[in-house]
Amino acid sequence: MLLIPCPYCGPRPELEFRHAGEAHVVRDPSLSSDAAWGAFLYARSNTRGVIAERWRHASGCGRFFNCLRDTVSDNILQTYKTGEPRPDLALDAATRRQLGDVAPDQSVAATEAAR
Amino acid sequence: MQFSLLNLIRQSFSANQGWTEQWRSPAEPKPAYDAIIIGGGGHGLATAYYMAAEHGMTNIAVVEKGWIGGGNTGRNTTIIRSNYLWEESEALYNHAMGLWQDLSHALNYNVMYSPRGCMMLAHNTHDVQVFKRHVHANRLFGIDNQWLSPEEAKDVCPILDISKNMRYPIVGASLQRRGGVARHDAVAWGYARAASALGVDILQKCEVKGIRRDASGAVSGVDTSRGPISTKKIGVVAAGNTSTVLGMAGVRLPLESFPLQALVSEPIKPLMPCVVMSNTIHAYMSQSDKGELVIGAGTDAYISYSQTGGLHIATHTLDAICELFPMVRRLRMLRNWGGIVDVTPDRSPIIGKTPVPGLFINCGWGTGGFKATPGSGHVFAHQVATGEPNRISAPFSLDRFVSGRLIDEAAAAAVAH
Amino acid sequence: MAEASTVLRRLSPLATQNTVSIGFLPPMTRITLRGEPDAARRVGEVFRAELSPDPLRANAAGARAALWLGPDEWLLLAPEQAGLAASIEAACDREHGCVIDVSHRQVGIEVRGTAGATVLNAGCPLNLDLKAFPVGMCTRTVLAKADIVLWRREPELFHVECWRSFAPYVLGVLKQASRDCGF
Amino acid sequence: MNAPFRTPTGGRVDRGATRRFSFDGRSYDGLAGDTLASALLSHGVHLVGRSFKYHRPRGFLAAGSEEPNALTSVNRGGGRVTPNLRMTQVELYDGMEARSQNHWPSLAFDVGAVNGLMSPIFAAGFYYKTFMGPKFMRGPGLWAKLFEPAIRRAAGLGVAADEGDPDVYANRFVHCDVLVVGAGPAGIAAALAAGRAGKQIILCDEGAELGGALLAEPKLEIEGRPAAAWLAATLRDLAAMPNVTALPRTQAFGYYGHNLVALAERLTDHLPGVDTTVPRERMWQVRAAEVVLATGAIERPLVFPGNDRPGVMLAEAGRVFLNRYGVKAGSRAVVATAHDSAYRVALDLQAAGVTIAAIVDLRERPTGPLVEQARGAGLRIVTGGTVMGTKGHWRVSEATVAHVSGDHVTDLQRIPCDLLLMSGGWTPSIHLFSQSRGVIAYDTATEMFIPGKAVQAQRSAGSCRGLFGFADVLADGYAAGLDAAGAAGGDAPALGDKAFAVRGDDAYGPGGFSGALPISGDGARAKAFVDFQNDVTAKDIKLATREGFRSIEHIKRYTTTGMATDQGKTSNLNALAIAAKALNEPVPAVGLTTFRQPFTPVTFGTFAGMSRGQMFDPVRQTPIHDWAAAHGAEFEDVSLWKRAHYFPEPGEDMHAAVDRECRRTRESAGLFDASTLGKIEVAGPDAAEFLNRLYPNSWTKLGVGRCRYGLMLNEAGFIMDDGVVGRLAPDRFHVTTTTGGAPRVLNHMEDYLQTEFPDLKVWLTSTTDQWAVIAVQGPRARDILLPLIDDVDMSAAAMPHMAIRLGHICGVPMRLFRVSFTGELGFEVNVPADYGRAVWEAIWSEGRAYDAVAYGTEAMHVLRAEKGYIIVGQDTDGTMTPDDVGLGGMVAKQKPDFVGMRSLTRPFLTGEGRKQLVGLLPDDDAIVLDEGAQIVDRAEVPNGTHALGHVTSSYRSGVVGRSIALAVVERGRSRMGETLFIPMPGGSIPAKIVSPVFYDPQGERLNG
Ligand SMILES: Cc1cc2nc3c(=O)[nH]c(=O)nc-3n(C[C@H](O)[C@H](O)[C@H](O)COP(=O)(O)OP(=O)(O)OC[C@H]3O[C@@H](n4cnc5c(N)ncnc54)[C@H](O)[C@@H]3O)c2cc1C
Ligand SMILES: NC(=O)c1ccc[n+]([C@@H]2O[C@H](COP(=O)([O-])OP(=O)(O)OC[C@H]3O[C@@H](n4cnc5c(N)ncnc54)[C@H](O)[C@@H]3O)[C@@H](O)[C@H]2O)c1
Ligand SMILES: Cc1cc2nc3c(=O)[nH]c(=O)nc-3n(C[C@H](O)[C@H](O)[C@H](O)COP(=O)(O)O)c2cc1C
Ligand SMILES: [Zn+2]
């Protein structure tokens, strides 16, 4: 059970939270390409390493917020409010090692997978 | 050496000194293969076996970063059934069901497929509607799945509590008699042995770290922890790690990897004759041949590659199990572990091409792919060998996430596996 | 033999002669304010208890109290009083917030006694040590499988709020916990 | 008392307190403070169980929680049957009834023992190679019908209870500054240090008493006092500290993420009688700022042929039985060892009058104080010695020992004995450390796996990190306690390290052995056990490696070594060493298998805690629930709610009741408790714009005092919920949702509001529980309500269909909706929940005059189906769009954006052949179709026939006078009048596609 630092309430047990998927997936209903829209709906980075994800402090202050977590160690590096940009964690080599060989976030362009 | 009772007895006279390796373990990979399968789980090994056995491709290798069967194949609760809702799923899972029937003979390896019945409990009107819909759809497809009254359910599984005053009374159940379990490790080992016998190299402790592509963008090889290997065709069957492997080729997939936990009790004398699942209160249980109760828990809520999970998942599972089976409350948990399952938005697998020529994927089996192992390997072998899907796997291609033509087993049924 | 440990157990702070009493509170007027800090300030003036801008703080003024539940959410509690919600609503600038009477949505439960925190901890995962959860702290949290609002009014007095349809469950959990804690 | 192996004095048992008990039906007596194991041993009982596979006779191997053999089932009556308990942990109480397990017909004569004769065939993995049946018999028949059932019957250990467990279980979440796991010298010293530093401490130990190794040290002195006295005084000191909580009988079983450690406390199993007011076990979920692991070490058996015979025991266990329980485990002992610690055992036993026939030391030249003492005491020491085998039927009677030189074995001699104590040295208990994901290190000097780098806020102390002298261990524990206290933060008094003066402790020299002892011959037929419970022998492990199972994980799974209820506590190291030798690889390269929770098995009930029965999940009831119950309602579960399903009158079944409820509602009026519907107040200057973005329909033009039906889509464009939305004020809406969907919808709205549309000034408040909702439906609805409402003009002109008014009913504030889910004139009365019942009763009594009924959810379903109104989740399934259900017209064409809009334009959602909602009339009007039944276009259905759709709702309709159904069918709206088929086991049922509106198609009755 994780201990998640809510940006409003401080560290609280995972039982109070609801996970809400990857963060910073930009919603643009004007996208004309079905592939691009499909990628928005479904494609996820699913990073092995540090990931930006959303949580809601559902049984708490009710706020959605973002969280940088290492999906290998499950360590939480930072939480920040919705709307704020993803913090640039200039991790030193030692921290990276401790977090387990952190793969850079694959910010690959939306897959044209379909064709 | 052929596996048989006769050979067992013969070997027992020579103190079992005559048995040899069940599959070859080449010290080093060859510099090039006609195809490489990434992932030595049941699906990957089955793929290689059918490629060799049915498509004559024997210059191929299965590349496994750890030990074969050490992924979800070695961690799953082994429930086998094919009573899915949509025709595409019915065809796929029932294809596997057909192959299970005689798999032990086909592989000359006792995979202990045990069709002891898989029962799914209905607790409310909605469950009844959903399960009956399955029963009817399955009948049309020729899949055995029957509707049971609570009393009939109790006849099949006498330890069920069907009293009306429970918090979640059992109002009925569906039963697939051919559903059941199999010995997970044996499935991996049996396919490995049979594939190896046909010439397939099984490379363990060999992690794929990069995918090489030629000027046209097509696959040209892989970089592994044991050096580069050339190939023109790659089948990725890496379950929870699929996104990571595809990331090496710059492809983002509709997948998220979650920890899924399971646990076993201490062994006890036979108590449960069949598999029982309750999706409404999130519990499922069967008993292994050794006597442990094998219990599946839910997924954790977040992406993780840690093969563990939270305590609250186990507590929620066990309160449900004790609720359904009050006599197990005093039994004890022996071991609790996790696997990493790759979940798609529609809870159906992705089988087919990727945007990268020569790179194929078979993934997204999520919480329920063990049952499909033979079928999945069989259809994917066709895909990798011929470059094209077959009739059964065609609907499971990646482009459904563009068109919206999902095969949404979750939406229709809220069934997790 | 086993005595040393038994004695130790008995002397340990969680197992002294603890007491707890648990019961429903009488009906109350309950108002939620969802809105911006400005609205909260204005409402506080009418309600005559400040709506804390600081997180997790409850301000009591006599029998009234205003509980911070989120950066844009406060719960106001007062003895039953017709028209209170209306007057507060009137005071609230609707451009910046929204006041709703939820008197009947919730039920209050009082947990009193030296063992109160221990009993709550049977189902609530928060650290209820007086230092970590001091008097005047309040929050929404969970109790077993229900959501509650928890407010420590005195060192040994907790006010629990839950939705009315969850109240039998919440009370049941607390009662059972008080038995399981041996009180 | 006649317990021939009990010493006259000594031990921690209470010699004045006899405890009578029975084992396999025979009565014995023991003493307070005994375990079942020590009590049986005091009577010379060694044969206590049968092994898993070969059913070999087994006795006690250990004295603690690592015991693999001696499992028992304790029956306290009435569902209180607990199988597979380790006798070494079962505390004796008066009247205990215990039984041995896994044999038939009895422990002494077990038919299953024939398996032992077949053991060459039953080698590791044999079952993968056979039992498949002859090739010509396709399918799993023979395996599933013949072999598997036989194997299943033979396998398994104890037997589960055949009724429910009446005992209760509890849970407690706690936080502390320092959690100390293990209360041996290291843990106690750690707790002392951290306690003195003023931190909140929890100290737990799985044992019945705190003290660990100190409980079996009669000669040791600490700080000038006998160890027992020091222990007692120190525990008193700890007890006096209000900041220390000490928990005996409490195992730390799981080390989870973010420093959450789970403990399982046993509260009543050691007590006679049954006290249901106290929980049997309690789970502690401890979130600790800092953790000290002081879990000690476990002795390693030696692997030699016949090492599993009753009477062959871990050396230290012999010492614990003697020093802690006052029991001699035998009268003539051979001690086989590769480590100094067994010398201390030999000395203690000799002093107690046990003949030490020989110490057989694998080492060529053992030295050190203990060895010298043994020599001084005249003990015979066979150096460079090994054990070649044992004899004895139900108990060891002889050991064959020999000298090893190189690979050869010479000087065989047979030494009679009734006890064989063995020690391969010590294995630090790094289970929890490893669970915490700490990195394990291998110490080549001592050949031990020890904790390496910790990754959580945690440190190890004492024997669990490879320290063995008491002085070292105490100092190490103290230092760890201080370190933890410091790391826990806050201010702590500066305490210095502490040295503990210790006398009577003898340093160990180097030593220890893992793997199989050398024996003569190739050992191919020797039964030298590695995993005792699962009957895994050294040759099984070698066989596995020969067959290509090279990873230790494969070896584990192929041989099942380490997979028994002891999880390899005594066997993993030996298995690893044997495998490493066979593979010709160094031990650390082969590595350990994964440590997993629980440390020792934990009761399911402890996990479930109080979630059980009616407390398993909250039961939500409406304010009108009790009225319905008093009026005979049957209830159904809908999400967490109980809803009145129907109200049978005497003699009525469900169909009759529903028929009457529907009929009366259409003829006169019916009352329906709709309180469970989700309600959300959406308020703020941008409320209408917010709804525009959340729903496909348009809200801007909805007037105040009006309401409208809304479909809610998810981002993929599929229907997720529906409900009526009313406009209370320009900036305020009352939104309703389905009963089950309420939490999901609110979360969905908050999500978009907070993340996608933070520019909007809108606030959401759930009011589901605030309002009791009474639907009054039927031509008489207005007549019934009129007398109760005087501040709302309810006339058709003043309050048309889909209007809302605020007012009062029976003097109570009310939100009155004129809406209909039945197709009749209808109102929904919302009143604050506390008034719900009284208002319901008032309406009810008005309704008497019109013979109105109360109707339940079943009648509600029928009434709405007659009108073709959908139920989300029944007529839709997460794959349906608004157009699919015939509500495409609701989707605003001009809006720039709403949730789901972009997805609706995807090819598959706009394509041909989508399934559409239609009505369905079976040709035979008496047939009520099965909900979920499939629909095809032909009467004959070969396997694999494509289904065009399925029946979503199906009822007998009184008002239509026949059965009716709703269905979703491919291109359904273009098939009006077509006959399709519903294949059923008894043949296909023809049915005609019709409009889904069966009753009052013009909707005239709404205008009543
Ligand atoms: C707890 C649990 C319970 C389950 N219960 C059931 C059930 O009851 N019924 C059911 O049908 N299904 C169940 N499943 C799901 C089922 O286990 C999986 O769907 C199935 O086993 C997947 O098989 P696989 O061969 O695709 O994957 P895996 O067995 O996981 O194999 C993938 C392999 O790829 C390897 N790999 C990954 N990355 C690389 C790389 N870069 N280089 C080389 N190799 C790599 C991995 O090491 C792994 O061995 C369960 C799963 C879990 C975790
Ligand atoms: N069994 C032994 O380790 C043993 C035997 C003889 C002498 N000694 C000596 O005793 C000293 C060792 O002291 P120590 O304090 O390190 O070890 P210890 O064995 O004295 O204490 C460890 C304690 O931890 C408990 N424990 C282990 N795992 C647990 C868990 N998961 N949950 C709860 N409790 C758990 C055990 O019951 C035991 O009481 C050394 O001087 C050593 O030479 C040890
Ligand atoms: C069906 C099934 C039955 C199992 N039975 C046992 C068992 O009897 N004893 C045991 O120790 N582990 C058992 N396990 C769990 C394995 O020991 C192991 O935990 C699991 O394969 C995951 O691997 P890991 O824990 O090494 O990561 C079983 C696993 C499965 C999938
Ligand atoms: Zn918060």
Side-chain angles (χ1 to χ4, degrees), chain D residues 9 33 35 38 144 152 188 191 226 234 350-351 365 370 382 446 451 508 519 538 598 612 639 734 805 906 928 934 1007:
Chain D
T9 58
T35 60
S38 64
R152 295 189 69 167
I188 286 177
T234 308
Q350 186 197 36
R365 255 171 240 89
L370 278 165
V382 182
T446 56
Y508 296 156
I519 47 174
R612 120 191 239 176
S639 64
H734 177 121
R805 297 290 178 268
R906 292 186 292 164
V928 178
Q934 302 293 297
N1007 306 324

Side-chain angles (χ1 to χ4, degrees), chain A residues 1-3 15 18 27 29 31-34 37 40-42 54 56 62-64 72-74 76 82, chain D residues 173 257-258 260 285 287 437 715-716 747 750-752 754-757 897-899 902-903 906-907:
Chain A
M1 202 201 337
L2 308 178
L3 192 63
L15 293 176
R18 182 197 296 246
R27 176 178 183 275
L31 281 176
S32 57
S33 145
D34 282 334
W37 181 252
F40 155 74
L41 283 179
Y42 302 121
R54 307 191 311 130
R56 181 179 184 212
R63 304 308 294 181
F64 283 82
V72 177
S73 66
D74 290 336
I76 291 174
T82 298
Chain D
F173 291 99
H258 298 191
L260 181 79
Q285 302 191 39
R287 187 80 72 171
R437 305 202 215 167
E715 193 65 272
N747 190 65
E750 282 284 0
D751 192 349
Y752 278 90
Q754 293 185 31
T755 343
E756 291 301 330
F757 311 132
D897 183 19
F898 61 84
V899 176
R902 173 63 184 82
S903 289
R906 292 186 292 164

Side-chain angles (χ1 to χ4, degrees), chain B residues 87-331:
Chain B
E87 286 164 7
E88 297 88 339
S89 319
E90 289 177 311
L92 180 60
Y93 289 98
N94 217 36
H95 179 51
M97 184 62 99
L99 292 169
W100 278 116
Q101 303 305 314
D102 210 33
L103 193 58
S104 295
H105 279 145
L107 301 178
N108 180 228
Y109 209 101
N110 189 353
V111 300
M112 301 182 202
Y113 162 58
S114 169
R116 59 179 74 157
C118 177
M119 182 149 72
M120 304 172 80
L121 302 176
H123 298 282
N124 55 42
T125 313
H126 182 254
D127 287 353
V128 174
Q129 287 162 344
V130 169
F131 289 6
K132 283 197 170 169
R133 184 175 169 198
H134 281 71
V135 167
H136 289 295
N138 293 158
R139 182 158 29 73
L140 202 56
F141 208 87
I143 294 172
D144 73 303
N145 189 23
Q146 66 191 110
W147 177 252
L148 303 180
S149 70
E151 292 72 25
E152 289 166 333
K154 193 172 172 69
D155 282 345
V156 176
C157 184
I159 60 170
L160 276 183
D161 184 346
I162 57 166
S163 54
K164 297 263 184 303
N165 56 3
M166 292 172 70
R167 175 67 185 83
Y168 287 99
I170 294 167
V171 298
S174 70
L175 172 69
Q176 182 176 24
R177 288 198 186 269
R178 287 204 304 171
V181 294
R183 176 89 195 127
H184 52 288
D185 293 328
V187 173
W189 302 338
Y191 272 118
R193 175 166 163 272
S196 172
L198 294 173
V200 176
D201 277 359
I202 290 160
L203 306 167
Q204 301 185 82
K205 287 199 197 163
C206 182
E207 177 171 3
V208 172
K209 303 207 166 215
I211 291 179
R212 299 189 167 198
R213 299 166 67 175
D214 62 19
S216 74
V219 158
S220 65
V222 291
D223 290 315
T224 77
S225 54
R226 283 162 66 176
I229 310 176
S230 303
T231 190
K232 295 245 171 277
K233 284 181 171 180
I234 299 177
V236 182
V237 202
N241 288 299
T242 307
S243 295
T244 310
V245 176
L246 268 285
M248 298 170 193
V251 179
R252 237 167 99 104
L253 289 175
L255 285 179
E256 291 192 298
S257 295
F258 297 103
L260 176 66
Q261 299 186 51
L263 60 100
V264 287
S265 74
E266 295 178 299
I268 43 158
K269 292 291 176 194
L271 181 75
M272 280 204 71
C274 61
V275 179
V276 174
M277 311 173 62
S278 166
N279 299 313
T280 300
I281 62 175
H282 306 297
Y284 49 109
M285 177 159 102
S286 66
Q287 188 170 13
S288 80
D289 288 339
K290 254 173 70 210
E292 318 96 63
L293 299 175
V294 179
I295 296 173
T299 55
D300 280 88
Y302 48 83
I303 294 172
S304 173
Y305 290 87
S306 60
Q307 291 196 338
T308 63
L311 170 62
H312 56 296
I313 305 290
T315 61
H316 284 341
T317 298
L318 285 171
D319 68 0
I321 289 289
C322 292
E323 202 52 28
L324 288 177
F325 306 108
M327 69 284 293
V328 307
R329 199 177 290 272
R330 271 179 122 80
L331 298 183

Side-chain angles (χ1 to χ4, degrees), chain D residues 720-746:
Chain D
M720 69 174 275
D721 207 82
D722 69 349
V724 166
V725 178
R727 191 165 205 165
L728 302 169
D731 62 350
R732 192 169 281 206
F733 293 82
H734 177 121
V735 172
T736 65
T737 77
T738 61
T739 295
R744 193 165 55 235
V745 170
L746 183 59

Side-chain angles (χ1 to χ4, degrees), chain B residues 6-29:
Chain B
L6 198 65
N7 276 340
L8 260 183
I9 295 170
R10 276 203 201 115
Q11 281 304 318
S12 76
F13 292 119
S14 60
N16 290 305
Q17 297 297 306
W19 297 111
T20 51
E21 346 179 79
Q22 298 196 357
W23 62 87
R24 295 171 299 105
S25 295
E28 290 306 325

Side-chain angles (χ1 to χ4, degrees), chain B residues 236 242 246 253 350-354 359-363 380 398:
Chain B
V236 182
T242 307
L246 268 285
L253 289 175
I350 306 171
I351 309 172
K353 301 180 197 179
T354 69
L359 185 63
F360 305 97
I361 47 171
N362 179 4
C363 60
F380 194 51
L398 198 47

